[in-house]
Amino acid sequence: MLLRILSAITLTFASVCAQAATYSPAIRDGGSRFLARSLGSACYSMDSLRRGLPCNPAYVAKEKSPRFDTDLLLGSNMEYLREAEALLNGNSDEASVAKMFSRREAVDGEISIEASFQRPTWGISVEPYRLVYVYQFENASLPMVDMIASEEQSFKAQLASFTSGNFYAGLQLRYTHVKYVGNYFSVVEAVAGDRDELFEIHNQDILYVEPGLLYAWEDVLWEPQISAMLSQWGVSDKKSEQYPIRPQGLLGASVKPAVPLGLLEVGVQFQVHNETENFQDAVRGAVTYQLGVLQGVLSASQYDQAAAFLATYKSFSTGLSYWSERTNKSVFVQFGVSL
């Protein structure tokens, strides 16, 4: 009885200080491709993505030849994904939950498989399996756990056209089915015996409608271009704090400075959503450099940084990306085939 009273007091205090568990916009956008993850929001205004569908659907109209890509993305903390699968299948027991609560480090694990086909003016992609697990332990004096595990299946279709002058317009339709377990709760509450409610399995269907625009000076030195997009706008069969409909506006620009060797591209992106509080929150910069079979990427915002390299030989590619923020770090590995 005393334990339940303490749990109620703890939860009352926590509800004032925090929201339910939710993924960041970067994870909710469905971008599991290697360079898209490394560039972050800057991928919406840059040409450097040579695999999969572009982040901004307007860029499909710039493609000159058809391409078929398959990608396998493996994130760090892979050993914890078994824990996520157990939660999603309702197979976790008291011992596994106790082990979870004993952990103090942050966990950010992910694995995904995606295949895409692209032609001039249109493209489609299928992601039959994506497993994501994010776990944070907060406040050692008042132990709280912020966790969410999800399994997704997604389908994307992009249509784009060249309108007039240097102007392109595109539209992306993205359907996602997600099964997830997620909550923000105290360790006291879990120990008190409310595990069934805390780890309840939810299903959600979401349809996103995401238009994009591009103005590109392709015949001008440095090939400057500006782009805009409205992403994560759509409808859902249910409301949830874990997978909310939270539209975000993106406005960016990029140039390709002339260099003696290779291809250099520099981009900047302004990303605005309901969690944006000031100008610094919205800005992200990125640089990519490609020389022969190697491509390097650097990107950063006020909250996180990423560095990556990608090696491509004939139809095969592999890469390594390091991503960090204030409380977490992750490494992503990609294997891909292009036909």
Side-chain angles (χ1 to χ4, degrees):
M1 183 65 180
L2 178 60
L3 194 58
R4 290 186 178 275
I5 294 174
L6 290 174
S7 173
I9 295 173
T10 300
L11 289 175
T12 301
F13 179 80
S15 64
V16 177
C17 301
Q19 300 177 347
T22 181
Y23 288 138
S24 69
I27 296 179
R28 290 199 310 270
D29 71 359
S32 292
R33 296 176 312 283
F34 181 75
L35 285 179
R37 180 59 55 82
S38 303
L39 289 169
S41 62
C43 77
Y44 289 92
S45 59
M46 299 179 70
D47 277 331
S48 294
L49 274 78
R50 305 299 182 187
R51 300 191 54 80
L53 300 185
C55 296
N56 187 330
Y59 281 75
V60 174
K62 293 182 66 178
E63 289 295 322
K64 307 302 182 184
S65 59
R67 185 178 70 238
F68 175 75
D69 296 321
T70 60
D71 292 282
L72 171 64
L73 181 77
L74 304 175
S76 58
N77 297 314
M78 294 289 294
E79 66 273 18
Y80 297 116
L81 293 182
R82 290 185 179 273
E83 183 177 291
E85 283 187 322
L87 288 171
L88 291 167
N89 293 325
N91 296 329
S92 59
D93 53 25
E94 292 185 5
S96 61
V97 172
K99 183 179 179 180
M100 178 197 306
F101 295 151
S102 67
R103 186 183 308 130
R104 296 297 180 264
E105 72 275 15
V107 173
D108 188 345
E110 181 175 356
I111 181 173
S112 70
I113 303 169
E114 184 177 16
S116 63
F117 180 72
Q118 187 174 341
R119 293 183 61 88
T121 73
W122 66 273
I124 58 173
S125 77
V126 178
E127 193 170 25
Y129 183 75
R130 183 188 188 205
L131 181 64
V132 183
Y133 185 39
V134 175
Y135 174 98
Q136 297 275 355
F137 181 87
E138 302 174 2
N139 195 351
S141 59
L142 183 64
M144 302 295 297
V145 172
D146 188 0
M147 61 80 62
I148 181 169
S150 68
E151 182 179 307
E152 301 179 16
Q153 294 85 38
S154 296
F155 174 81
K156 285 186 282 190
Q158 293 184 347
L159 296 172
S161 66
F162 172 79
T163 56
S164 62
N166 300 305
F167 188 69
Y168 300 84
L171 179 68
Q172 175 171 272
L173 299 177
R174 176 163 58 100
Y175 165 75
T176 298
H177 172 77
V178 57
K179 180 171 71 172
Y180 65 90
V181 173
N183 224 316
Y184 185 89
F185 54 87
S186 72
V187 175
V188 175
E189 180 186 18
V191 174
D194 297 326
R195 288 198 302 115
D196 291 342
E197 181 178 350
L198 293 177
F199 300 134
E200 182 181 358
I201 299 172
H202 302 273
N203 288 274
Q204 189 170 348
D205 294 290
I206 311 171
L207 176 64
Y208 296 99
V209 181
E210 301 168 312
L213 303 172
L214 169 66
Y215 196 89
W217 291 268
E218 299 176 72
D219 299 326
V220 176
L221 184 66
W222 287 26
E223 301 179 34
Q225 54 189 13
I226 57 175
S227 67
M229 184 171 173
L230 176 65
S231 73
Q232 298 185 31
W233 180 85
V235 294
S236 176
D237 67 333
K238 60 184 288 188
K239 290 185 178 180
S240 73
E241 295 187 47
Q242 289 81 8
Y243 279 85
I245 300 297
R246 289 181 179 172
Q248 59 178 358
L250 299 128
L251 178 65
S254 67
V255 293
K256 299 183 181 69
V259 294
L261 295 173
L263 176 63
L264 175 67
E265 184 174 18
V266 180
V268 63
Q269 187 75 38
F270 298 92
Q271 179 184 25
V272 180
H273 46 76
N274 66 339
E275 299 174 0
T276 305
E277 297 181 354
N278 51 56
F279 178 80
Q280 291 85 351
D281 291 345
V283 180
R284 186 176 192 88
V287 178
T288 75
Y289 178 67
Q290 185 172 1
L291 179 62
V293 300
L294 297 177
Q295 182 174 6
V297 176
L298 293 173
S299 71
S301 70
Q302 184 179 7
Y303 300 103
D304 67 292
Q305 304 81 39
F309 76 89
L310 182 70
T312 302
Y313 178 71
K314 295 184 178 180
S315 297
F316 301 93
S317 65
T318 184
L320 181 69
S321 176
Y322 174 79
W323 170 83
S324 68
E325 61 173 2
R326 294 173 180 174
T327 60
N328 201 5
K329 298 177 177 63
S330 293
V331 175
F332 298 97
V333 179
Q334 179 206 283
F335 302 96
V337 178
S338 296
L339 301 176

